[in-house]
Amino acid sequence: MIARRPALAISDAERQRVEQVERLAASGPPGAPALVEMLADPSWTVRRAVVASLAALGDAAVHPLCACLSTRRDSEARIAATVDALVASLGDVDAAVLALSLDPRPALVADAAQILGRRGSAKAVSRLAELTSHPDDNVAVAAIEALGRVGGRSAVDSLVEAVSSGNFFRVFPAIDVLGRSGDPRATGPLAVLLDDPRYVLEAARALGRTGSRGAVAPLVRLLGRPSDGVVRVAAAALAELRERYRERYGTAAPIDEALRSEAPAPGVARRLSQSLTGADPAEQAALCSVLGAIGGDDALLELTRLLDAGPPVAGAAAEALGQLSRSADPRVLAALRDGDSPRRLLLLPLVRGVAAAGEAERCLADPDAEVRAAACDALARIAEPSSARALFQVLDDPSPRVVHAATTAIQCLGGPDVEGLALAAAHEGTPAARRTALRILGHLAPASALPVFLDGLCDPDVRAREQAIHGLASLAAPAALDALVAVAADPTARIRAVAMRALGQSRRDPRVIGALLAGLRDGDAWVRYYACQSLGKLGWEAAAGVIAERLRDESGQVRVAAIEALSGIKGDLALEALEQAARDGDTDMRRSALIGLGIAGREASLPTLLDALSSPDVATRLVAVSAISGFSSPEVLPALVRAASDPDESVRAAATSFIAGRPGAEATRTLVALLVTSRAQGPLLAALSTPVPGRIEGILDALGTADDELSPLLTAALARMRLPGAHAALLEALRLPRAPARKAAATTLAAVATREGFAAVERAARTDPDPEVRRVSASVLAQWA
């Protein structure tokens, strides 16, 4: 039995003071002065209530709080509570606190910087940048940390000055903020710190966070250091650099090219491998990732050797091998041929090309079923027709996973050889092979398979008979339909159910409809289930009434199938039945009906779907989000925006993806607004990169007013699209009136690395009217020199 945590106990006196706080808060603005007097209460519980109440009062409490912070500095508890109240305040705090930052007292200025940073005040960036040079270290550090919270991209020059100051107390916090700024001007000052043992590790990590190509060279030089710890940190920084670049621009190829072009000293691969000793799993993965990016014979040799290490290292080594080009194939194939089952399981996902087919076929005899299945997957990827015979030989494998993988691979190959082998296996194979051969023939649907399917209806193996029935549904021959209709009246319920399911894949023949309508009255629930489904697939509107009767069926699966069927049938009767089911007390029925209403797409159903977005059940909200996504009503986008802030991550992700797929300027503005307010920028950046009509124009419009923090995200979204129109928009952004957009466009055009882009950035470096844009342009060009 789990003991309950006791509730937080407060004394009677504390309770009385909390009640007093509540009364003062209820009195509104007149209660603010008295509440401010209680900020130094000895009880943390009471102070917390006071802070919350003052924050909720908004503008009415801002001036009293600022006056308290300025004049009542005799109590640390009061100062901390006042700072917390101003940070959480719903009022217009920034202007009043900026005024405090002009005070000559360093302690008050440091508090003001902290408040502005914790509030994420964009208005305060220029003042915070000034404060990084304040004579008092505490003020400077508070300003640097505040810029880290707000976003220090527009204060890069001040941060560079702090990093270069030689003052440990300023350098150390500025390293992290400068790295997170993502500005290309950060790499030079951070690289200088790599030669100082006090800062080398933090500076390396910060270079990795820049996501800048210019950080590659200084980090690669660290790989030659004698300290394993430094090498591991440098490798981790390079791995993070690759991922940040990939997240921003959709590819890490320029970073990998830079890694290879730096021509690391011979033996660097062995040096990285040696550094694995004592590394944690994250560092091991990073070291292998860098080996894979660097490439070359030494890296291949070390990565292949690491396949015999423990699971974390071996897995990372296999993934790194997958980064390498086809030049890795001979060594990988040799390792595949000589390796044991665990090694083969790691390597099979990596093989490509016809040359690997023979080695993959040998793995079909491996004692490990997972290896045999992976070999089938590899042969499907290689798509060598001559492998079909080897794949047919494993159709009676004892592992269902292997049989399924082999079947999929054979279907991928196709061709006359597969057809002949499948016909032979259907006649002469083991029961398992016959079943699978019939399934393959059903997928291929050759006319030559009709006799085989008809014979299969009498197969002693019941599962083979089921495959034969499905196979008949794939053929257009009249004899196939005759046989299907006949078997729908089979005395065995299981066979009737299979026939009902197969009839849904045929055509609207009167005999088919008659058989399915009879199936709705069958005594077996699964026969009724598949009869409902098939009538829905065929869209037989005249059946809506009898299908609606199945909504009261005694079996739950039949009721759900009836809803699915009604979803595919037009007409008011079907819609009314779905609306009624959407209000059913059974959760599964309600969700299925919501899906059906979404498929039907009738505007009259939208209020029901919008109501479901407020359901306390997460799965119901998720279904409702999906269901409304296809509607064009103006109510849908605001509803999706609300769902994008849902407490559940899966609902948020679904809503964001559906917003991403909606064309037009409004959806783009919505995604941009979400990008500004959300911490999960990766998924939103991917959503904004969805190339739907109006998206490029919408991003370009947003760049016209974007600040230094938003502009790089918008230009990165354009780069990720990899479309001529998006590239043209980046070139146009370099001519926009606002400097933040031009800086971001210059950085992104250099990252995209096109001749036209480089030429435009080079012109900006010479002629842009803003000196900061010229410096950024020159900085990104220097990274490619």
Side-chain angles (χ1 to χ4, degrees):
M1 181 176 178
I2 300 175
R4 289 186 176 182
R5 180 180 294 179
L8 184 64
I10 61 174
S11 67
D12 290 340
E14 288 173 319
R15 184 175 292 106
Q16 290 173 5
R17 296 202 300 278
V18 169
E19 291 171 355
Q20 180 186 359
V21 170
E22 293 171 351
R23 289 193 297 272
L24 288 170
S27 69
L35 285 170
V36 169
E37 289 299 320
M38 298 181 71
L39 283 169
D41 193 280
S43 167
W44 176 81
T45 301
V46 176
R47 290 200 307 276
R48 183 176 62 176
V50 173
V51 166
S53 297
L54 285 167
L57 282 175
D59 290 337
V62 171
H63 178 71
L65 283 169
C66 287
C68 178
L69 189 63
S70 177
T71 62
R72 307 281 298 277
R73 303 190 62 82
D74 56 322
S75 164
E76 289 296 329
R78 179 187 290 112
I79 292 172
T82 305
V83 168
D84 287 344
L86 285 167
V87 169
S89 176
L90 300 178
D92 183 9
V93 170
D94 293 0
V97 177
L98 279 169
L100 292 179
S101 74
L102 301 173
D103 195 276
R105 291 169 290 176
L108 179 58
V109 177
D111 288 338
Q114 181 191 161
I115 293 165
L116 293 167
R118 288 172 62 186
R119 286 182 64 85
S121 173
K123 298 177 183 177
V125 170
S126 60
R127 177 57 181 157
L128 291 171
E130 294 174 8
L131 292 176
T132 60
S133 303
H134 196 280
D136 187 273
D137 284 342
N138 290 326
V139 173
V141 170
I144 291 168
E145 291 175 346
L147 284 172
R149 291 175 178 271
V150 178
R153 192 180 295 269
S154 61
V156 167
D157 290 339
S158 299
L159 292 169
V160 167
E161 184 180 344
V163 159
S164 307
S165 68
N167 182 326
F168 179 85
F169 297 104
R170 303 183 186 210
V171 172
F172 209 78
I175 288 173
D176 178 65
V177 179
L178 191 59
R180 293 184 189 279
S181 73
D183 193 287
R185 292 169 292 171
T187 56
L190 290 172
V192 170
L193 296 179
L194 296 178
D195 294 324
D196 190 323
R198 295 175 299 173
Y199 307 123
V200 58
L201 298 183
E202 284 305 311
R205 294 185 182 102
L207 282 167
R209 288 190 285 268
T210 63
S212 173
R213 187 181 185 277
V216 174
L219 287 172
V220 166
R221 287 194 288 273
L222 284 184
L223 298 179
R225 294 283 181 93
S227 166
D228 285 352
V230 171
V231 173
R232 288 197 292 267
V233 169
L238 284 166
E240 182 172 4
L241 183 64
R242 293 179 74 248
E243 288 310 306
R244 285 183 177 258
Y245 199 95
R246 189 199 312 278
E247 183 179 282
R248 190 175 300 166
Y249 303 115
T251 176
I255 300 299
D256 293 347
E257 290 169 8
L259 273 166
R260 291 189 288 272
S261 71
E262 288 302 317
V268 69
R270 288 189 295 276
R271 183 71 189 86
L272 286 168
S273 179
Q274 291 165 2
S275 301
L276 284 164
T277 304
D280 62 32
E283 291 172 331
Q284 291 170 352
L287 287 160
C288 290
S289 174
V290 175
L291 280 169
I294 289 174
D297 288 341
D298 285 344
L300 284 170
L301 181 63
E302 291 302 319
L303 286 170
T304 305
R305 185 181 64 79
L306 289 171
L307 292 171
D308 294 324
V313 180
E319 185 176 348
L321 281 170
Q323 299 173 23
L324 300 177
S325 66
R326 290 183 182 273
S327 63
D329 284 355
R331 200 177 296 274
V332 170
L333 293 181
L336 187 64
R337 180 174 55 252
D338 301 332
D340 56 8
S341 295
R343 175 182 279 201
R344 286 176 165 179
L345 196 58
L346 288 169
L347 291 175
L348 279 167
L350 310 180
V351 297
R352 299 286 190 278
V354 175
E359 296 302 335
E361 288 178 23
R362 290 187 184 91
C363 292
L364 293 174
D366 193 276
D368 188 325
E370 287 300 315
V371 175
R372 299 196 299 275
C376 294
D377 294 339
L379 290 169
R381 203 165 49 245
I382 294 166
E384 168 54 41
S386 64
S387 298
R389 189 170 298 276
L391 287 164
F392 268 93
Q393 292 173 0
V394 297
L395 289 185
D396 55 358
D397 193 281
S399 167
R401 165 85 173 87
V402 175
V403 173
H404 176 75
T407 304
T408 302
I410 290 168
Q411 291 171 346
C412 289
L413 298 181
D417 289 345
V418 168
E419 181 181 334
L421 290 166
L423 289 169
H427 276 300
E428 304 163 2
T430 63
R434 289 202 308 276
R435 292 194 297 268
T436 307
L438 288 167
R439 183 184 306 130
I440 292 167
L441 289 169
H443 172 78
L444 299 175
S448 60
L450 178 58
V452 175
F453 291 144
L454 293 173
D455 289 345
L457 294 177
C458 301
D459 196 293
D461 182 73
V462 66
R463 287 184 290 171
R465 294 204 299 276
E466 293 172 1
Q467 291 301 329
I469 293 169
H470 285 297
L472 286 169
S474 69
L475 302 180
L481 186 59
D482 292 341
L484 268 180
V485 172
V487 82
D490 192 275
T492 305
R494 177 173 175 175
I495 295 299
R496 292 199 306 277
V498 174
M500 293 296 161
R501 184 179 182 186
L503 285 169
Q505 303 169 35
S506 58
R507 56 186 182 273
R508 286 187 183 183
D509 185 281
R511 293 174 297 164
V512 171
I513 299 300
L516 291 173
L517 289 174
L520 288 179
R521 300 185 298 272
D522 196 279
D524 184 82
W526 286 109
V527 176
R528 301 196 300 276
Y529 173 88
Y530 286 117
C532 280
Q533 271 197 345
S534 293
L535 284 166
K537 288 177 182 177
L538 294 174
W540 190 251
E541 189 172 344
V546 290
I547 292 174
E549 293 175 5
R550 293 298 102 200
L551 292 174
R552 297 185 295 275
D553 196 281
E554 61 185 14
S555 297
Q557 73 265 34
V558 179
R559 297 195 296 272
V560 171
I563 291 174
E564 293 175 8
L566 290 168
S567 305
I569 295 176
K570 297 179 180 179
D572 292 338
L573 181 59
L575 186 65
E576 290 170 9
L578 286 173
E579 287 276 5
Q580 183 178 355
R583 295 186 289 272
D584 195 276
D586 182 86
T587 304
D588 290 334
M589 285 279 287
R590 191 164 60 249
R591 290 178 194 151
S592 298
L594 292 171
I595 294 171
L597 290 171
I599 293 171
R602 298 275 291 271
E603 292 291 331
S605 304
L606 190 54
T608 301
L609 296 171
L610 293 174
D611 286 345
L613 287 172
S614 302
S615 170
D617 179 64
V618 171
T620 300
R621 296 201 304 277
L622 191 59
V623 165
V625 166
S626 176
I628 68 170
S629 63
F631 288 77
S632 58
S633 168
E635 301 170 83
V636 172
L637 185 57
L640 288 173
V641 172
R642 291 192 296 274
S645 301
D646 193 274
D648 183 78
E649 183 179 357
S650 62
V651 178
R652 293 196 303 272
T656 301
S657 68
F658 289 127
I659 296 171
R662 296 181 76 85
E666 189 177 1
T668 301
R669 285 194 294 269
T670 296
L671 288 171
V672 171
L674 289 171
L675 191 63
V676 171
T677 58
S678 173
R679 293 183 179 273
Q681 291 186 335
L684 281 164
L685 185 58
L688 195 61
S689 306
T690 306
V692 296
R695 183 58 44 81
I696 293 173
E697 295 81 0
I699 293 175
L700 196 57
D701 183 63
L703 277 166
T705 56
D707 60 15
D708 277 292
E709 303 307 315
L710 178 59
S711 293
L713 298 174
L714 297 178
T715 56
L718 290 171
R720 288 168 63 101
M721 291 184 192
R722 302 188 177 280
L723 294 173
H727 190 266
L730 282 171
L731 293 170
E732 187 174 344
L734 201 54
R735 299 188 292 270
L736 289 174
R738 284 182 58 80
R742 301 202 303 277
K743 285 188 290 183
T747 303
T748 304
L749 282 166
V752 172
T754 64
R755 183 177 299 178
E756 190 178 13
F758 278 134
V761 176
E762 193 275 332
R763 284 194 300 273
R766 290 186 289 104
T767 65
D768 194 279
D770 188 283
E772 195 170 2
V773 176
R774 295 198 299 273
R775 287 196 296 272
V776 168
S777 300
S779 178
V780 294
L781 287 173
Q783 296 178 11
W784 292 85

